[in-house]
Amino acid sequence: MKDKIVKLLDDAIEVLNAEQISELLEQPPKKEMGDYAFPCFRLAKELHKAPPLIAKDIADSLEQADFIEKVEVLGAYINFFLNKDQFASTVVSNSISDSFGSSEIGKGKTICIDYSSPNVAKNFHVGHLRTTVIGNSLYKIYSKLGYNVERINHLGDWGTQFGKLIVAYKNWGTEEAVKEKGIEELMRLYVLFHDEADKNPELEDEARAWFHKMELGDEEALKIWKWFFDISLEEFKRTYKLMGVEFDHYTGESFYRDKTDSVVKELTDKNLLTDSEGAKIVDLSEYDMSPCLILKKDGSSIYATRDIAAVEYRKATYDFTKCLYVTGQEQKLHFAQVFKVMELLGNEWAKDSLVHIPYGLVSLQGEKLSTRGGNVIYAEDILHEAISKIREIIEEKNPDLSAEEKDEASRIVGVGAVIFNDLYNQRIKDVSFSWSHITSFEGETGPYVQYTYARCSSILRNIDDFTPDGNIDFSILSDETSTELLKEINRFPQVVVDAADRYEPSVVARYAVDLAQAFNRFYTENRIAVDEKNVRDARCTLTYITRRILKDSLDLLGIGVVEKM
């Protein structure tokens, strides 16, 4: 409908093109002002007239169209009132298809997304949830738009910290303790190393020596490192499974360790490397940035070196259109340095293709959360606690569900509640955990949207003779709440595009709430299970479409649905 109105205006306005008209066309703040409004202020300079006069002239010159009920001029605005039957027919015929919201915008293009990336031998804590759920959602959004997406988990599995861990293990650890307690024991050893190094600084030299052995391919050093890596990945994958998250590649920093020499050679050949107190750097002062460290004094690589190698490998392997890095704001400078070095190496594509996607911090609002000791909150504990709290609510509200149904609903809704709470916020903003809000079945929450989906499922389950074919009496859907629901449905394809353009899953999360609220208003005002078949079929069709788009929206966020709750 918007495109049709743009076409009408384009035929009547010579000084603007269709794209400019589309950008200016807006939805009025009040329903009585119509469905769309076109402001004429911008035309005053070109046409040398007052905007209200321009609005009247354009309105008078518009061709009549069957999809427009009436056109009114209010000040400098041309207000369009849609023919409700035509609007319902257009929206239903478009949205009844399962492919509604999908597109081929990204056909033939590849996007790499680097996200999650926990550090090996350290716990997967609550802070890792943000990068994981944001990255997973972006993967789903871009996939829906037809892109080929490579999901990359760039594990922190290389660096001096492993030299520290090997020293700690050899001095104070045992094979039995590591096998029994896994990451918990590795974390204990890592903390113990720093405590002891404060008293004996020579331990730091030992750690650097062990990491240097790793870089040189020492068999003993790499065997211990690989053991720690396998233990960590097993624990990480357990958390990912609970969240429903998968990756195409677990290519961490260690994957690029044999590729850093070529980076150093390339930088040297292009005269970009300079000495700095024995280390090798790329001087970026010309770009108001601190230097990018490439090699430490002992000749060891650093994560910037490995990130440069990773960019070159990914470009050569996947020929990406864009490579996205979902990490915290604190890494803004690091990626600015890496991207600038890629440009200085002569890669013009780096300016537009490499994108850092930062996000805010996670706070816990002083809530008491289950932990495994210490001050670190494990992501897995957060998820299990959410599942437990949702189970209590479901037990109270719907005790008739079977134990199996309660288990499934608790898991899907509990995990979804945590994910939705994160993604509903703009990613750059900090996220706070409040159990009373996260697990609420009312308001702007995941359980509210999932409950609305379950309500739609229940309605359709209890209608025996309904077939969702879109062949309905559209005049039944001309009331206010039906029209408002149709407007929300109509927005879905553009919501997906906007979320991708802005790297912002919150666009989808907020839309899901808007759609759920519009449906619940429609449901309150309109009885669905009525005797009149034409009325029942029309309202069931709207319920069917809403149900599917709620499911699609939640799927784009990495959240599941349940049929009964």
Side-chain angles (χ1 to χ4, degrees), residues 388-499:
S388 176
K389 288 179 180 293
I390 291 294
R391 176 68 185 243
E392 291 175 7
I393 296 171
I394 291 176
E395 288 274 12
E396 178 185 341
K397 291 183 176 292
N398 197 350
D400 293 336
L401 289 178
S402 68
E404 186 177 298
E405 288 172 328
K406 289 174 184 174
D407 287 343
E408 180 188 32
S410 300
R411 177 181 57 80
I412 292 174
V413 177
V415 172
V418 174
I419 294 174
F420 195 92
N421 179 70
D422 188 301
L423 297 182
Y424 187 78
N425 296 272
Q426 290 183 346
R427 58 178 165 75
I428 204 64
K429 293 185 177 180
D430 294 345
V431 170
S432 59
F433 274 90
S434 167
W435 285 123
S436 60
H437 172 74
I438 290 174
T439 59
S440 175
F441 283 72
E442 298 177 358
E444 299 160 345
T445 68
Y448 171 74
V449 178
Q450 289 170 308
Y451 180 75
T452 304
Y453 172 87
R455 168 176 278 175
C456 292
S457 295
S458 176
I459 291 167
L460 296 173
R461 212 166 32 242
N462 292 319
I463 304 291
D464 294 328
D465 58 345
F466 166 66
T467 302
D469 56 12
N471 185 23
I472 57 174
D473 181 352
F474 295 106
S475 67
I476 303 297
L477 304 180
S478 61
D479 64 285
E480 184 176 312
T481 57
S482 296
T483 299
E484 291 304 309
L485 178 54
L486 285 162
K487 285 181 180 178
E488 288 300 327
I489 289 169
N490 194 43
R491 287 205 299 130
F492 183 54
Q494 189 60 47
V495 163
V496 182
V497 173
D498 289 347

Side-chain angles (χ1 to χ4, degrees), residues 165-166 168-182 185-186 188-189 227-228 231:
L165 200 53
I166 291 172
Y169 171 68
K170 282 186 161 291
N171 282 325
W172 310 294
T174 66
E175 182 178 349
E176 293 74 23
V178 173
K179 284 183 176 179
E180 180 186 348
K181 298 180 179 179
E185 174 64 6
L186 297 180
R188 186 190 72 83
L189 291 172
W227 181 35
F228 293 166
I231 290 170

Side-chain angles (χ1 to χ4, degrees), residues 7-164:
K7 177 66 169 61
L8 271 183
L9 289 168
D10 189 32
D11 291 341
I13 301 173
E14 294 183 358
V15 295
L16 296 177
N17 60 37
E19 184 178 349
Q20 292 169 320
I21 292 169
S22 181
E23 289 175 357
L24 290 171
L25 199 63
E26 59 188 53
Q27 290 191 335
K30 297 180 182 179
K31 297 181 181 68
E32 55 267 27
M33 293 179 177
D35 299 294
Y36 289 96
F38 181 77
C40 296
F41 301 104
R42 181 172 169 178
L43 301 174
K45 187 175 180 180
E46 288 90 342
L47 300 180
H48 307 291
K49 276 186 181 181
L53 293 177
I54 296 172
K56 185 176 186 308
D57 289 346
I58 293 174
D60 290 343
S61 69
L62 292 174
E63 293 184 11
Q64 286 195 336
D66 60 0
F67 64 91
I68 298 293
E69 184 179 294
K70 63 178 178 176
V71 177
E72 288 183 352
V73 174
L74 183 61
Y77 289 85
I78 306 170
N79 294 335
F80 295 88
F81 294 78
L82 297 176
N83 179 311
K84 299 299 188 289
D85 291 7
Q86 281 269 354
F87 179 63
S89 174
T90 300
V91 174
V92 169
S93 62
N94 288 336
S95 61
I96 197 78
S97 167
D98 288 345
S99 63
F100 185 64
S102 301
S103 81
E104 295 189 348
I105 292 173
K107 187 176 181 180
K109 299 176 183 177
T110 294
I111 288 183
C112 293
I113 308 183
D114 179 327
Y115 61 106
S116 194
S117 309
N119 291 320
V120 165
K122 295 184 181 178
N123 62 286
F124 193 103
H125 59 73
V126 66
H128 292 122
L129 279 175
R130 293 224 70 191
T131 169
T132 304
V133 301
I134 292 169
N136 188 52
S137 181
L138 290 175
Y139 148 67
K140 289 174 174 289
I141 289 167
Y142 282 108
S143 296
K144 195 166 187 67
L145 294 177
Y147 290 90
N148 172 55
V149 183
E150 299 290 342
R151 299 168 290 179
I152 301 171
N153 197 332
H154 187 77
L155 296 166
D157 62 356
W158 203 250
T160 308
Q161 68 268 29
F162 291 98
K164 296 177 180 180

